[in-house]
Amino acid sequence: MASTSRTRRGRGRGRGRGSGSSSLPPPPSTLPLIIEEFFIVVCEDPLVKKELPKKFADYLDGQEPAKVYLRAADCGPRLWTVEVLFDGQGRMYLDKGWEKFAIAHGVDFGWFLHFKYEGDDVLTVKVFDGTMCRRYYYSDDEDTDDESDDDVKPCIHPL
């Protein structure tokens, strides 16, 4: 028992090495705000416009895009053009074009959508269904220009 007590005393009681500087990261309030990933839970009609988190809208402050391009993770290179609506009160919505994306991916009530901002107005989306399991998609569509095609060509969920 005596040796255990000596070992504990020799550790410096959690103050780190030396009495000067600490190797701890700065407090969160001093870190730069970089919002690259966020999620939304579909709690209403999956086909109506979707509000994105306010912190993401704030992150884009001063460079609000008129459109974003959604890419379903693992569904090929296709980009879905979606118009963005800003309401003047700091809220940002996925508007016209969202319905096509949601239909093509079978988005439903209670689903979880993970977004990653890739830059250049591109958001990659991972879709999780009502079981909270990720849905994987693939596309056999060679045409990646969705603006010339009014038909919704769904990405295929293999399971």
Side-chain angles (χ1 to χ4, degrees):
M1 271 201 183
S3 64
T4 305
S5 297
R6 272 189 298 239
T7 304
R8 286 185 183 158
R9 266 186 256 142
R11 290 190 178 169
R13 300 186 190 259
R15 294 184 187 189
R17 287 185 258 174
S19 59
S21 66
S22 171
S23 62
L24 295 174
S29 62
T30 62
L31 295 173
L33 180 62
I34 300 173
I35 308 296
E36 293 179 348
E37 296 182 70
F38 57 89
F39 70 89
I40 61 173
V41 178
V42 180
C43 296
E44 56 187 31
D45 183 346
L47 303 181
V48 300
K49 68 183 177 189
K50 293 289 161 246
E51 182 176 357
L52 301 182
K54 184 164 179 0
K55 280 191 177 183
F56 181 67
D58 291 345
Y59 175 70
L60 296 178
D61 188 37
Q63 46 189 328
E64 295 91 349
K67 297 176 183 177
V68 293
Y69 304 93
L70 302 182
R71 177 185 7 247
D74 304 321
C75 191
R78 181 170 185 173
L79 295 175
W80 298 78
T81 303
V82 178
E83 291 182 11
V84 177
L85 174 67
F86 289 90
D87 69 358
Q89 297 176 9
R91 289 188 293 261
M92 176 181 180
Y93 299 87
L94 297 177
D95 198 21
K96 186 177 178 190
W98 166 255
E99 182 178 1
K100 284 184 180 183
F101 180 87
I103 289 170
H105 296 86
V107 175
D108 204 356
F109 181 82
W111 286 24
F112 178 96
L113 307 173
H114 173 268
F115 292 81
K116 182 175 182 184
Y117 183 61
E118 305 288 352
D120 296 325
D121 303 330
V122 175
L123 291 164
T124 297
V125 185
K126 291 181 183 175
V127 179
F128 296 79
D129 64 20
T131 67
M132 289 296 141
C133 291
R134 182 162 168 211
R135 292 178 59 99
Y136 289 87
Y137 301 91
Y138 69 92
S139 176
D140 59 2
D141 183 12
E142 297 296 322
D143 180 17
T144 60
D145 181 11
D146 65 319
E147 293 192 57
S148 65
D149 188 0
D150 289 334
D151 295 331
V152 175
K153 293 182 180 174
C155 284
I156 302 161
H157 176 62
L159 300 177

